[in-house]
Structure formats: C-alpha cells, structure tokens
Amino acid sequence: MKLFAKKSKTLLGVDVSSTAVKIVDLRPDSAGWRLENYVIRPLPDKAVQEKNIQDAGAVADCVSQALTLLKPAGRTCAAAVAGSAVITKVIEMNARLNDAELENQIIVEADQYIPYPLSEVAIDFERQPGADPEAETVDVLLAACRRENVDGRVQALEDGGLDVNVVDIEAFAMERACALLEHQLDGMPEMLAVVDIGASALTLYVLRNGQTMYTREQLFGGKQLLEQIQQQFSLSPDEADRALRRGELPDEYGDTVLTGFREQLVGQINRALQFFFSSSHYNEVEQIVLAGGVAVLEGLSDKLEESAGTPVTVADPFRDMDTGDKINRSALATDAPALMIACGLAMRKRY
C-alpha cells in the first residue's frame, strides 16, 4: 500500500478520527475545487483510541452509514495514518537513479533507517522538489509505517464499502489543505502554525513556506471539556455530549466550565509552541490557524490571540468554494475546521 502516489484522478477523502468518520467529496472545477458533499458520522465510544482502530467492525458500520448519507458518484478513496505511527526521514540518494532503482537501493539500505523487519512495514518514498538538476545527489523523503497499522485501517474502510487507493500521512494531508487557506489569510505567511484540536489530542503543525517542518502531539482535547461538564452537572457521557452539541447546558456553564477549559486549552497551545521555539532557531510564527472540532469553541481564537500576541484564524478551506446543492452553508462553516485532513486527502489523486 502506497504512502505517496502519483496524481491522476480524484478521490474521496476519508479521515477516521477518535470520534467520527469524516468523508469529503471534492471535484476539480475552473476555480480550483468544488465541494460536492461531505458527511461526519460519529463513532461509538472507544472504537478508535489514540488514532488506532480498536473495533474494526464499528468503523466499517460507520463508514457504510456515511456512504449511504453521502451517495458519492464513486467510492475510491484516500485515507491516512497518524504521523505518530510513521517514521519519516530525508535521505540523500544518487540523482541519476530512476524510481525503480531508488526503490531497490532504499530496500537494500532500509535497516539503517527503519527499526523493524521489512516484512512488517509499508514503505514509500518521494523525491523532494527544488533540486539542482546538475547535482549528483537528490533529497528523498522516506516514509515507513507498521504494516498492521496500514492494513487494519484499509480493511475496516473496505469492509465499509470503500476502495482504498492510497494511504497518506495526516501531516501531508493537513499541509495540502492549508494551501486552500491562502485567501483567508491574505497570502500564505512564511511561518504558519496550525493547531488541530480533536477530541483526545492536540497536534501542532508548523509550516515554512507551505511545507511542514515540525509536528508535535499532546494528549489534550475536547474530551476533557465533556468530562468537566459531566462532573459539574452530574450528566452521563451521552447527556453531556448531547447538551453541548445542542447548546442546552445550564446558564452557569460559561463561568463554571467553559472559561476554565478555554484557559487550559490556550495554555496547552502556548506550551506546544514553546516546545517548537526551544527546539529550533525560530522564536515566532506569523499566523496561527485553528483546526479540528474544538477550533470553533466560543472565544477560543480571541483568547489565544491575546495570549500569544499572534493573529489567530479558524480554518475554513471551503470558504471560497462552490458547493453542491445538498450542503447547508451554515453547518459547513461550523464543520469546516474539523474537515481539514479529509479535505487534504480529497485533494490527492489516485495512482
């Protein structure tokens, strides 16, 4: 199974997170892309934990339900594995080697870069752009993932009715989707921080000139907010989730829970940024983009901008796109930050 692929035809983008299956159906048009439709289908609790599928049957059922709602023209898709499950390394190779020769050479030398037997890993590589055509060597990005992580994800999606054509890496899907934010950001900044806040984890991506140079994951997310709501108002997990989604929490929610959680989250984001600054020669980013389901939390972007002293924007990769007739633009504005990875996957082409 390929981790990278050559571009040709469009694919559905399928993001399996810890709480939902998200599918985006993009089509190329004269303006770039058109969003035909999308669906977010919740997963049962603990079906996916720390981005690893624990209940493949539940994921397959969720995918099948999502496809019934989406009714796509085709079912060929791109999926992704989490960056934490992947080993990536840039290596220098002989520039005169063709792709087949590169692959053979990488396999011969793989034990230098990969701490697992080759029979247990899926490997792919990609020549890096911008090389001097006269140079004797070329930078090659090598990616390797335990085959059980790739095969388990592919099997669950295929059992749900999809045809998995390519398995990408979440960081590269996020990078691809960020290219759609250029108009929203009034131009792509040289140093961009993207904070993807999910249910169980917060992932910081730092992009320099549109390319990912740093990622870091911290175990903090929306699940902590739900736990605090349960404790404060004596609710079950389902009741807390339903009340939060419907805006039916007691009036004191803002003061007793939301304010404190928002401050915790801002602290976690600032901590992630400080880790980046301390591990590099950079001491600032020009823009922060919030992605993930928690990005739309009331007051978060303003509070973070005040704390970090950096402009903060909530991601909307579909802001300038034409959309299909079935799409509710108001709902899309709320869902858009959570669809960044699925969107980046849908921008891939089948090989």
Side-chain angles (χ1 to χ4, degrees), residues 144-157:
C145 181
R146 294 291 293 266
R147 191 170 292 280
E148 61 188 26
N149 292 334
V150 176
D151 291 349
R153 188 162 298 251
V154 169
Q155 190 63 58
L157 296 182

Side-chain angles (χ1 to χ4, degrees), residues 12 23 25 27 36-39 63-75 162 326:
L12 296 174
I23 305 180
D25 186 2
R27 304 292 172 82
E36 289 294 328
N37 206 354
Y38 76 95
V39 65
V63 168
S64 179
Q65 294 163 13
L67 290 172
T68 298
L69 294 170
L70 191 67
K71 296 182 175 63
R75 295 194 171 197
L162 289 165
K326 299 177 183 178

Side-chain angles (χ1 to χ4, degrees), residues 274-328:
Q274 288 305 316
F275 270 113
F276 165 64
F277 297 143
S278 64
S279 63
S280 71
H281 63 273
Y282 298 97
N283 55 22
E284 64 178 1
V285 293
E286 297 167 53
Q287 181 88 32
I288 299 172
V289 169
L290 296 178
V294 186
V296 295
L297 186 71
E298 181 185 347
L300 175 61
S301 59
D302 291 340
K303 189 71 176 177
L304 178 59
E305 185 166 316
E306 177 186 341
S307 174
T310 304
V312 177
T313 301
V314 177
D316 184 356
F318 313 109
R319 192 183 73 165
D320 299 317
M321 280 189 199
D322 288 336
T323 58
D325 296 337
K326 299 177 183 178
I327 293 176
N328 181 316

Side-chain angles (χ1 to χ4, degrees), residues 121-198:
V121 295
I123 299 176
D124 208 351
F125 64 92
E126 186 172 74
R127 295 173 188 263
Q128 296 300 278
D132 181 351
E134 302 299 322
E136 294 185 359
T137 62
V138 62
D139 285 342
V140 175
L141 176 61
L142 172 68
C145 181
R146 294 291 293 266
R147 191 170 292 280
E148 61 188 26
N149 292 334
V150 176
D151 291 349
R153 188 162 298 251
V154 169
Q155 190 63 58
L157 296 182
E158 291 187 343
D159 287 348
L162 289 165
D163 173 18
V164 183
N165 183 260
V166 59
V167 177
D168 206 333
I169 300 169
E170 287 183 354
F172 299 152
M174 180 64 77
E175 176 185 304
R176 205 174 296 115
C178 283
L180 298 176
L181 304 180
E182 186 168 357
H183 294 300
Q184 186 182 1
L185 301 176
D186 295 323
M188 188 60 66
E190 179 182 353
M191 294 295 295
L192 173 67
V194 182
V195 185
D196 186 14
I197 315 163

